[in-house]
């Protein structure tokens, strides 16, 4: 792939992920944009099938960053609600995301990519902020369910979006395969979440930032 094409693809992936949208404050308004450091690529180690292009590295780094923000949210569920359906959903989503996280980290190791998180401190679409975590820890019952539903839906929608970009523009077969798995599982989890919302009458809390503003800015 020529350098100009590679750069365009990489920038597109970062924009879809919302790096340029800037962090949100507790009220859901966007603060001034932050410039995310570029993803770094490196030669593929001997014995690794296929070569990693910058899109592969960018997507893997974003996937790690987003999943690391989601897991603490899911870990709150057993202590904040007794609803068996929410507990089961959170446990199963957490198990699947931890497996994806382990695989993404391994692929970054295979690619000899930097181990530091280039998105540290960035509050992007699909990521729960520190203020939002405080609200989650203080909520319970239906209030907690509404907040959880909004944050989980935002994460899943954004994860599917950036994984679809990797499917189209990635170069490393194992990385593309992981992206395909994320699209499948994320789509299934969204359908499951919709069913749970209908059954429990939960919708994202009023004023929840969700991903709409981030999608508008990313577009």
């Amino acid at each position: 792939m020529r350098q100009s094409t590679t750069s365009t693809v990489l920038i597109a992936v970062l924009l879809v992920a919302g790096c340029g949208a800037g962090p949100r404050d507790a009220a859901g308004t966007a603060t001034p944009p932050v410039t995310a450091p570029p993803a770094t690529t490196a030669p593929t180690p001997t014995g690794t099938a296929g070569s990693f292009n910058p899109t592969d590295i960018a997507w893997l780094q974003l996937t790690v960053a987003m999943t690391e923000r989601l897991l603490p949210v899911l870990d709150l569920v057993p202590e904040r609600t007794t609803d068996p359906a929410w507990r089961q959903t959170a446990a199963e989503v957490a198990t699947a995301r931890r497996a994806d996280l382990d695989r993404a980290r391994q692929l970054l190791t295979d690619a000899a990519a930097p181990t530091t998180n280039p998105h540290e401190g960035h509050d992007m679409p699909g990521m729960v902020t520190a203020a939002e975590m405080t609200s989650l820890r203080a909520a319970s019952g239906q209030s907690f369910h509404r907040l959880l539903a909004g944050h989980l839906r935002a994460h899943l929608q954004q994860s599917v979006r950036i994984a679809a970009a990797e499917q189209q523009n990635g170069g490393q077969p194992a990385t593309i395969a992981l992206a395909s798995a994320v699209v499948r599982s994320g789509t299934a989890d969204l359908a499951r979440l919709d069913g749970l919302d209908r059954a429990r009458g939960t919708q994202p809390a009023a004023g929840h930032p969700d991903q709409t503003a981030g999608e508008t800015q990313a577009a």
Side-chain angles (χ1 to χ4, degrees):
M1 183 180 292
R2 291 178 299 177
Q3 182 61 38
S4 59
T5 304
T6 298
S7 299
T8 301
V9 169
L10 178 56
I11 291 169
V13 171
L14 292 174
L15 286 176
V16 167
C19 287
R24 303 181 308 249
D25 61 21
T29 57
T31 53
V34 224
T35 302
T40 306
T41 187
T44 303
T46 304
T48 300
S51 24
F52 292 84
N53 68 20
T55 301
D56 296 322
I57 303 302
W59 177 72
L60 289 167
Q61 290 172 332
L62 285 164
T63 295
V64 168
M66 289 180 65
T67 306
E68 287 177 343
R69 288 282 193 97
L70 176 68
L71 291 175
V73 174
L74 299 176
D75 289 343
L76 288 175
V77 173
E79 66 185 65
R80 304 312 305 166
T81 181
T82 58
D83 188 302
W86 273 113
R87 284 186 165 204
Q88 182 178 0
T89 297
E92 292 178 1
V93 171
T95 297
R97 294 300 168 268
R98 283 192 171 93
D100 292 342
L101 179 60
D102 289 345
R103 184 60 181 142
R105 285 171 172 164
Q106 182 58 56
L107 286 166
L108 284 171
T109 298
D110 293 343
T115 57
T116 55
N117 178 4
H119 305 291
E120 186 70 35
H122 297 168
D123 292 331
M124 300 181 289
M127 288 185 175
V128 178
T129 67
E132 289 165 349
M133 276 298 291
T134 298
S135 297
L136 279 162
R137 291 191 182 102
S140 61
Q142 283 293 96
S143 176
F144 177 78
H145 297 161
R146 285 193 296 271
L147 289 171
L148 175 63
H151 291 309
L152 184 53
R153 180 175 285 104
H155 171 89
L156 291 170
Q157 289 175 332
Q158 194 70 359
S159 293
V160 168
R161 289 186 72 202
I162 64 172
E166 164 62 19
Q167 281 181 299
Q168 295 174 3
N169 301 305
Q172 212 281 336
T175 307
I176 295 171
L178 177 58
S180 299
V182 169
V183 169
R184 287 193 302 271
S185 64
T187 301
D189 287 337
L190 281 166
R192 177 178 183 173
L193 186 58
D194 288 342
L196 193 55
D197 278 344
R198 287 192 295 270
R200 296 296 190 273
T202 54
Q203 295 296 333
H208 181 269
D210 213 329
Q211 88 290 353
T212 306
E215 287 188 15
T216 301
Q217 294 181 46

